[in-house]
Amino acid sequence: MRKITWIVVGLLVVFLGAGALAFEPISPEELRVGFVYVGPVGDGGWTFMHDLSRRSIEEKFPGATTSFVEAVPVGPDAVRVMETFIRHGAQLVFATSFGYMDQVIEVAQRHPEVIFMHCSGYRMADNVGVYFGRMYQARYLSGLVAGSLTESNVIGYVAAHPIPEVVRMINAFTLGVREVNPYAVVRVVWLFSWYDPGKETEATKALIDAGSDVIAMHADSGATALAAEEAGVYVIGYNSDMSRFAPTRHLTAPIWNWSVLTTYVAEQVINGTWRPENLWWGMDTGIVDLAPFGPAVPEEVRNLVGAARERIVEGAWKVFTGPIRDQQGAIRVAEGEVMSDEDLLSFSWFVEGVEGEIPARGN
Amino acid sequence: MEFMVMILAAAVRSGTPIIFATLGEILTEKGGILNLGLEGIMLVGALTGFAVSFYTGQPWLGIGAAFLAGMALVSLHAFVSITLRGNQVVSGLALTIFGTGVSAFLGQRFIGLTITGLGRVAVPGLSTIPVVGRIFFEHDLLVYVSYFLVAFLWWFLVSTRAGLHLRAVGDTPRVAEAMGIDVTRVRYLATLLGGGIVAVGGAYLSVVYTNIWTEGMSAGRGWIAVALVIFAIWHPGRAAFGAYLFGGVVAFQLRLQAAGTRVPIPLLMMLPYLLTIVVLVFITIRQGKGILFGSPASLGQPYFREEST
C-alpha cells in the first residue's frame, strides 16, 4: 500500500514538474527574440557572426521579430537590456557572452515565462539553456594545415587569456600540427586581453622574430593577420574568414556559424517543445567549420584536411583521443581513451608540442 | 645581442604612441591645466586618423586631421577648465568617457577595413651606426617626428622666453599676470596644442602601428601617459625614457614568451606602475620639505583673476 502511495506521489511530482517546464507553442509571427551582444556588430568576428544568426531567424520564420543591443558591458547593463527586450514582448533571449551568466540567471528568475539561451556558460535553470560549439574540431583541422606548411617547424600562437577554452583550442591545434609534423612546435604568447590590436601586432612580430613562419591566433581583431601578411608569413585567422586582412598569406580560419543553432532553438520555442539543454554542438551540425583555403594551401593538404574533416563529421573519430602526452612527455590520456566533455571544459594543461606555460589562475 | 636589439627596436615602436600622449600632457600641465581625457582623445585621434587615411589614401593627411580633431575635442575641456573655471578632474574624466563613446559610435563602419600606413624609412647615415642605428633609425617617419618633438619641447621649456612664460602660468598665474602675460591665452594654447599632440599618439596606433581601427584600441595607453607625466617629473627627456621603458616592458615580455622563456608576466607588467608610485611618493615627500621639482605648482587649480577696482 505504502509503495503504491509513493509511486503516485512520484508520478504527480514528475507530472507537475513537467507541467511547470512546458512552454506554450506560439506562431512564428508572434515570435520575438532579443540578442545581447558583447561587441559591436561590425567587429568582423564574434559578434558579427552572432548577428548573422539573428538575421537567419527572420529569414527562416517570416514574420518573426528580432532585435539586438550591441557592445553591452558585462554587469548591470546586461540586466537592463534583457528587461527591455522582455518589456517589448520577447519570449526568447540570446545572451552571447560568458560574462552575462549571472545576469541571465537573475533575470530568468524574475521572468519564468521567458526562455533564455546563454552562450558558453554552465549555469542552467528551468528556463535557461546553454549553448556552444566544438570549435576545437576546426582548430585541429587548421593545425593540420599549419603543420603541413611550416618550414621552420616553429608555429606561433597569439592567445588571449589563459582560460580552459583557449587552452583547449591550443591543444587541439597542436594535436593537428603534430599529426602531420612531429618535429614542429607551437609557441604560445599570452596577451592577457581579448582585444588590444597594438599588443596583438607586437606579439605577432615577436613570434615572427623568434622564427615562426605560420601564426595562429585567438583574439578578436584582424591585427595579427595584417602583421603576418606584412611580414610575409602564413596566418590562420579565427571567428570569420580573415583573408581580407591577409589576401596572400591567409591559409584558412576556424569559423562560427551560429545560425544552425539559433534557428533550431527558435523552432523549438515556436513548437512549444523547448527544454533547458546544454547544447555543445560539433562540426556535424555545421556550427563550426573552416573558412575556404587560401591560395598557398597545396592540393594534397586540402585532401588531407578534407579526409580528417569527414572522419570528425561522421563521428568516426574524436580529436581528443589518446594517446595524448603532456609537455613533460607523460601520457595523460591512454591509448584509445577519449577525453570527457567535463575534462575538456576544465582543460588546464598543455599537450606535447606546445612551448609556453599556462599562468596560474588569479594572475 | 640580436635579441636585445630586436627588443629595444620594438620598445621604440610600442613606446611611440605613449610618447606623443605624454608630451602633449606635459605641455598642457606645464600651463597648469590637468587633462585626464587622454584616453578619449587618443581614441578620437585614432579614429580620425584612420578614417581620413582610408578615404584619401594619404596617411599624413590622416595624422594631420587627428591633430585637429584632438584640438577640437580638448577645446571642450579648455572651455570648462579655463573660462568656466570648472573642476578639471571631472571635466577630463568626462572627456575620456565621451571620446570613448563617440569614437565607438562613429567608428562602427570602419571596423574590419584596412589602410596602407607609413612605411619604414631608414635614416641615411644614422641607420648604419652599429646597434644604435637598428634600434632608433629604422622606423617610420612619425617615430622620427617624436624624437624631434622631445628635443623641441625640452628646448622650448628650458631655453625659450615663451617656455618660461608657460611655466610661470603653471606655477604662479597671479605673478605671471602681473608680468603682463595673458594667462587665459597661454593656458588655452597649451591645452589645445597638447590635446592635438595626444591625438597624434592615438593616430599612430591606427595609422602606423596596426593599420586597422577597432573600438577602444588605445587599451589604457592614455592612462599610462597620465602616470608617465609624473614618472618623468614633467620633463620631456625623462618622458621619452619612461615611454620606451613602458613600451619596452610590453615588448620584452611578449618576446620572452615568444622565445619560449618562462617569465612572471604579471610581475613584469606591474613594474612601470610600481616605479611611478615610487616616484610619486618621492616627489610628495620632497615637496613637503618645500623642494619643487618640475611639477607645476598651480596644477589643476582654476585661476581667478583679481578684478581691478
Side-chain angles (χ1 to χ4, degrees):
Chain A
M1 214 40 220
R2 172 165 282 196
K3 207 174 175 184
I4 289 169
T5 316
W6 277 116
I7 288 169
V8 171
V9 169
L11 280 175
L12 271 175
V13 167
V14 169
F15 182 72
L16 288 174
L21 280 176
F23 292 89
E24 295 290 311
I26 44 177
S27 73
E29 293 79 40
E30 285 175 294
L31 181 68
R32 284 186 155 64
V33 191
F35 280 79
V36 190
Y37 295 148
V38 71
V41 289
D43 67 355
W46 184 258
T47 296
F48 177 71
M49 300 315 268
H50 270 282
D51 197 52
L52 290 181
S53 78
R54 177 187 64 81
R55 283 188 252 163
S56 72
I57 291 181
E58 293 195 340
E59 277 158 29
K60 187 163 179 200
F61 305 104
T65 320
T66 64
S67 47
F68 69 89
V69 177
E70 58 188 339
V72 178
V74 172
D77 277 353
V79 173
R80 201 166 42 78
V81 170
M82 285 186 274
E83 291 282 0
T84 310
F85 286 147
I86 294 164
R87 258 204 312 283
H88 287 87
Q91 307 96 340
L92 174 59
V93 173
F94 284 93
T96 63
S97 181
F98 178 80
Y100 300 138
M101 185 160 64
D102 297 343
Q103 284 77 34
V104 167
I105 296 293
E106 180 192 330
V107 178
Q109 276 168 354
R110 273 203 296 274
H111 302 279
E113 76 289 359
V114 179
I115 292 164
F116 295 82
M117 289 299 289
H118 178 227
C119 186
S120 75
Y122 53 81
R123 288 184 73 180
M124 292 170 65
D126 284 348
N127 58 336
V128 180
V130 292
Y131 69 100
F132 208 27
R134 295 180 188 269
M135 182 51 97
Y136 63 85
Q137 297 172 333
R139 283 279 182 193
Y140 169 82
L141 297 180
S142 71
L144 294 176
V145 180
S148 305
L149 280 152
T150 179
E151 279 170 16
S152 67
N153 284 345
V154 181
I155 295 165
Y157 201 110
V158 179
H161 281 285
I163 59 170
E165 180 196 342
V166 180
V167 171
R168 187 167 66 240
M169 304 287 184
I170 293 169
N171 284 337
F173 178 77
T174 308
L175 289 179
V177 167
R178 302 278 279 202
E179 178 73 35
V180 293
N181 186 345
Y183 300 106
V185 294
V186 175
R187 284 232 173 109
V188 177
V189 169
W190 296 108
L191 298 171
F192 291 95
S193 165
W194 286 113
Y195 197 66
D196 184 341
K199 224 169 169 185
E200 289 165 46
T201 302
E202 201 54 55
T204 308
K205 286 183 174 163
L207 283 164
I208 293 167
D209 287 346
S212 317
D213 59 356
V214 182
I215 306 283
M217 46 85 70
H218 191 155
D220 284 352
S221 89
T224 291
L226 210 58
E229 174 83 20
E230 195 188 302
V233 304
Y234 294 129
V235 64
I236 290 173
Y238 177 52
N239 278 321
S240 65
D241 187 344
M242 288 199 164
S243 54
R244 65 188 179 285
F245 292 111
T248 70
R249 297 289 160 176
H250 192 260
L251 299 176
T252 182
I255 54 170
W256 290 104
N257 174 23
W258 301 103
S259 304
V260 288
L261 191 139
T262 52
T263 51
Y264 164 83
V265 172
E267 187 157 18
Q268 285 195 316
V269 171
I270 289 167
N271 296 338
T273 54
W274 185 89
R275 293 286 178 278
E277 279 182 281
N278 182 349
L279 305 173
W280 198 18
W281 284 6
M283 201 178 263
D284 51 325
T285 65
I287 194 168
V288 295
D289 214 332
L290 281 186
F293 293 113
V297 183
E299 197 56 38
E300 66 263 29
V301 176
R302 293 173 192 227
N303 294 338
L304 173 87
V305 173
R309 185 179 176 281
E310 205 132 296
R311 275 187 302 160
I312 291 174
V313 169
E314 284 168 0
W317 180 78
K318 298 207 159 42
V319 172
F320 289 103
T321 305
I324 300 175
R325 292 169 191 275
D326 64 16
Q327 284 176 299
Q328 282 72 42
I331 293 208
R332 294 289 283 261
V333 183
E335 176 127 28
E337 221 175 88
V338 177
M339 284 180 77
S340 69
D341 280 1
E342 198 172 52
D343 286 345
L344 291 182
L345 288 169
S346 60
F347 232 133
S348 60
W349 50 276
F350 276 145
V351 300
E352 192 173 41
V354 181
E355 281 190 2
E357 62 177 325
I358 304 168
R361 287 272 180 101
N363 278 348
Chain B
M1 190 64 215
E2 183 63 24
F3 187 62
M4 284 315 289
V5 169
M6 282 200 280
I7 287 179
L8 292 173
V12 170
R13 259 199 321 266
S14 66
T16 298
I18 310 176
I19 287 190
F20 279 108
T22 312
L23 292 179
E25 182 68 2
I26 288 177
L27 181 63
T28 304
E29 290 194 12
K30 274 291 182 186
I33 299 296
L34 178 68
N35 178 10
L36 295 181
L38 302 199
E39 188 78 3
I41 298 170
M42 282 185 89
L43 283 171
V44 167
L47 174 63
T48 312
F50 185 89
V52 172
S53 307
F54 179 78
Y55 285 126
T56 64
Q58 305 286 328
W60 284 106
L61 270 182
I63 290 159
F67 183 81
L68 295 178
M71 281 178 65
L73 185 63
V74 86
S75 65
L76 292 171
H77 179 63
F79 182 68
V80 171
S81 312
I82 302 167
T83 306
L84 301 181
R85 302 184 187 92
N87 185 319
Q88 297 178 15
V89 172
V90 174
S91 164
L93 290 176
L95 208 61
T96 284
I97 297 166
F98 175 71
T100 308
V102 79
S103 63
F105 176 66
L106 296 175
Q108 277 171 11
R109 75 182 70 172
F110 298 105
I111 294 173
L113 303 173
T114 60
I115 50 170
T116 314
L118 297 176
R120 283 199 208 182
V121 184
V123 182
L126 289 174
S127 63
T128 56
I129 305 172
V131 184
V132 175
R134 289 201 35 218
I135 296 172
F136 290 103
F137 299 110
E138 285 186 359
H139 295 286
D140 52 89
L141 284 174
L142 206 54
V143 168
Y144 307 139
V145 171
S146 76
Y147 298 161
F148 173 77
L149 198 62
V150 171
F152 175 79
L153 202 62
W154 189 340
W155 168 77
F156 172 79
L157 288 173
V158 176
S159 310
T160 67
R161 196 178 175 79
L164 179 70
H165 287 179
L166 176 67
R167 285 186 288 140
V169 165
D171 281 330
T172 48
R174 188 137 298 153
V175 174
E177 183 93 44
M179 282 160 63
I181 302 168
D182 185 343
V183 173
T184 303
R185 187 165 155 267
V186 169
R187 285 192 162 181
Y188 259 103
L189 271 174
T191 308
L192 291 181
L193 288 173
I197 295 169
V198 172
V200 170
Y204 186 84
L205 272 177
S206 61
V207 178
V208 186
Y209 200 46
T210 63
N211 296 348
I212 57 173
W213 155 259
T214 41
E215 218 179 287
M217 71 184 303
S218 57
R221 287 176 181 81
W223 296 111
I224 291 178
V226 171
L228 256 186
V229 172
I230 298 164
F231 176 81
I233 324 180
W234 291 266
H235 189 290
R238 280 190 295 258
F241 172 74
Y244 292 148
L245 183 71
F246 273 54
V249 167
V250 173
F252 184 57
Q253 61 95 354
L254 289 174
R255 258 144 223 279
L256 281 183
Q257 286 194 62
T261 321
R262 300 188 160 214
V263 277
I265 306 156
L267 199 74
L268 268 176
M269 296 302 288
M270 196 178 71
L271 215 61
Y273 301 93
L274 208 65
L275 285 174
T276 302
I277 295 171
V278 170
V279 172
L280 191 60
V281 168
F282 177 71
I283 312 177
T284 314
I285 292 171
R286 297 304 289 267
Q287 271 177 346
K289 293 177 181 160
I291 302 165
L292 276 177
F293 290 89
S295 82
S298 301
L299 181 64
Q301 296 163 9
Y303 172 58
F304 294 91
R305 207 174 148 187
E306 263 177 278
E307 299 298 327
S308 47
T309 46

